């Protein structure tokens, strides 16, 4: 594997992760979740004006959310955020620091969604929760301190769900989504892509990707559903404008590139930005990788511009 050009802080993060992986002799959703929570506890998240946990109605019962309100006077734009973790791991705590940074930088209310996880809840559970949470946020923007403008955002698997929510809103004609911010999204990824082959084992291996896919999708039939992978949609015209952020040393890189190209080819305004010296997952490493906060500020600037924050 050629890692020339990899940022030293990203390389150090890879070394730390590889040491952790040695403690995981088998792929286990339970163990992965435990380690991801442990890693989140070590972070020192920045303050925001208010943080509130609550539940909202979801297709599978009460759906936990966490609402971050930035400093300043209401109303603010609203961003519905979906965490990464391969649809198997991740929660409100693992992405708490990222959401705080995003609320501060974007000057938006951020609604983080604790959607149902696979393999206990395979597709379409997470997609259904993402759509339901987005619809709820649109209906309750005033109660959230929102001004009526709405965006969706997410990283990795959460980037997939943000794209799904935007596609569903287009298909259903409601709610009106003004923007989507997709951070190294799990969209359009194929085993034969160069990035999957070249960076196999750098944060994510081909076997990891296959295991996550089996946990969530279960079958190729489901993977061809546009609400499982929006790149499978026949037509993406009319979905919200987008920022698609990719990382140069990421197996998911070429899928994100392909989705940005597909959006543009279908007439959607899409900005693609690539952090060439970064790895998958770097945006959540705000305590260890300086470029994480840079990338959050980059995405936040696009949200501010699009939403008029």
């Amino acid at each position: 594997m050629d890692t020339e050009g990899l940022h030293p802080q990203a390389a150090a993060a890879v070394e730390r992760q590889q040491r952790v992986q040695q403690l995981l002799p088998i792929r286990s959703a339970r163990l992965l979740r435990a380690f991801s929570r442990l890693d989140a506890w070590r972070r020192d998240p920045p303050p925001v004006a208010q943080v509130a946990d609550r539940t909202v109605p979801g297709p599978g019962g009460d759906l936990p959310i966490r609402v971050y309100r930035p400093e300043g006077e209401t109303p603010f734009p609203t961003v519905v955020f979906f965490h990464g973790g391969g649809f198997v791991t991740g929660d409100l705590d693992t992405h708490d620091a990222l959401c705080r940074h995003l609320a501060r930088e974007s000057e938006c209310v951020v609604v983080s969604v604790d959607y149902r996880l696979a393999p206990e809840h395979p597709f379409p559970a997470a997609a259904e929760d993402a759509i339901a949470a987005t619809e709820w946020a649109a209906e309750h923007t005033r109660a959230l301190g929102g001004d009526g403008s709405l965006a969706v955002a997410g990283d990795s698997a959460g980037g997939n769900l943000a794209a799904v929510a935007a596609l569903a809103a287009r298909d259903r004609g409601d709610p009106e989504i003004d923007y989507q911010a997709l951070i190294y999204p799990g969209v359009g990824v194929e085993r034969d892509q160069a990035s999957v082959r070249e960076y196999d084992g750098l944060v994510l291996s081909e076997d990891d990707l296959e295991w996550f896919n089996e946990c969530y999708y279960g079958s190729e039939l489901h993977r061809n559903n546009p609400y499982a992978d929006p790149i499978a949609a026949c037509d993406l015209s009319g979905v919200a404008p987008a920022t698609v952020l990719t990382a140069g040393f990421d197996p998911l890189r070429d899928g994100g590139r392909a989705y940005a190209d597909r959006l543009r080819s279908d007439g959607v305004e899409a900005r693609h930005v690539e952090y060439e010296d970064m790895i998958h997952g770097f945006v959540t490493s705000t305590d260890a990788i300086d470029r994480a906060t840079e990338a959050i500020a980059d995405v936040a600037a696009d949200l501010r511009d699009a939403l008029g924050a």
Side-chain angles (χ1 to χ4, degrees), residues 1 31 83 88 105 116 119 176 221 242 260 306:
M1 184 188 307
L31 289 176
H83 66 77
V88 172
E105 294 290 339
R116 288 171 290 171
E176 182 177 349
L221 180 64

Side-chain angles (χ1 to χ4, degrees), residues 171-234:
D171 292 346
R172 301 177 184 195
D174 189 65
E176 182 177 349
I177 296 179
D178 299 294
Y179 209 75
Q180 51 180 325
L182 315 178
I183 301 171
Y184 35 75
V187 176
V189 180
E190 302 290 345
R191 288 188 72 106
D192 61 352
Q193 289 171 334
S195 60
V196 172
R197 297 193 311 270
E198 292 171 7
Y199 303 117
D200 177 24
L202 193 68
V203 180
L204 291 169
S205 69
E206 290 189 51
D207 289 342
D208 292 333
L209 294 176
E210 191 59 33
W211 182 73
F212 285 128
N213 287 339
E214 289 175 358
C215 287
Y216 182 57
Y217 299 115
S219 73
E220 287 299 315
L221 180 64
H222 285 156
R223 288 193 67 184
N224 292 325
N225 186 319
Y227 289 171
D229 188 340
I231 207 167
C234 294

Side-chain angles (χ1 to χ4, degrees), residues 80-244:
V80 184
F81 181 86
F82 306 102
H83 66 77
F87 305 104
V88 172
T89 187
D91 56 28
L92 299 178
D93 292 331
T94 61
H95 286 63
D96 179 71
L98 193 164
C99 288
R100 287 169 178 267
H101 280 287
L102 186 61
R104 287 164 59 93
E105 294 290 339
S106 67
E107 300 174 11
C108 296
V109 170
V110 173
V111 180
S112 183
V113 181
D114 199 12
Y115 56 87
R116 288 171 290 171
L117 297 176
E120 298 90 340
H121 303 284
F123 176 81
E128 291 175 340
D129 287 352
I131 293 167
T134 303
E135 292 175 344
W136 180 89
E139 293 169 2
H140 295 83
T141 54
R142 181 167 297 182
L144 291 167
D147 62 6
S149 56
L150 181 68
V152 290
D155 68 313
S156 195
N160 170 296
L161 294 176
V164 166
L167 178 62
R170 190 282 309 264
D171 292 346
R172 301 177 184 195
D174 189 65
E176 182 177 349
I177 296 179
D178 299 294
Y179 209 75
Q180 51 180 325
L182 315 178
I183 301 171
Y184 35 75
V187 176
V189 180
E190 302 290 345
R191 288 188 72 106
D192 61 352
Q193 289 171 334
S195 60
V196 172
R197 297 193 311 270
E198 292 171 7
Y199 303 117
D200 177 24
L202 193 68
V203 180
L204 291 169
S205 69
E206 290 189 51
D207 289 342
D208 292 333
L209 294 176
E210 191 59 33
W211 182 73
F212 285 128
N213 287 339
E214 289 175 358
C215 287
Y216 182 57
Y217 299 115
S219 73
E220 287 299 315
L221 180 64
H222 285 156
R223 288 193 67 184
N224 292 325
N225 186 319
Y227 289 171
D229 188 340
I231 207 167
C234 294
D235 179 19
L236 291 171
S237 62
V239 303
T243 293
V244 181

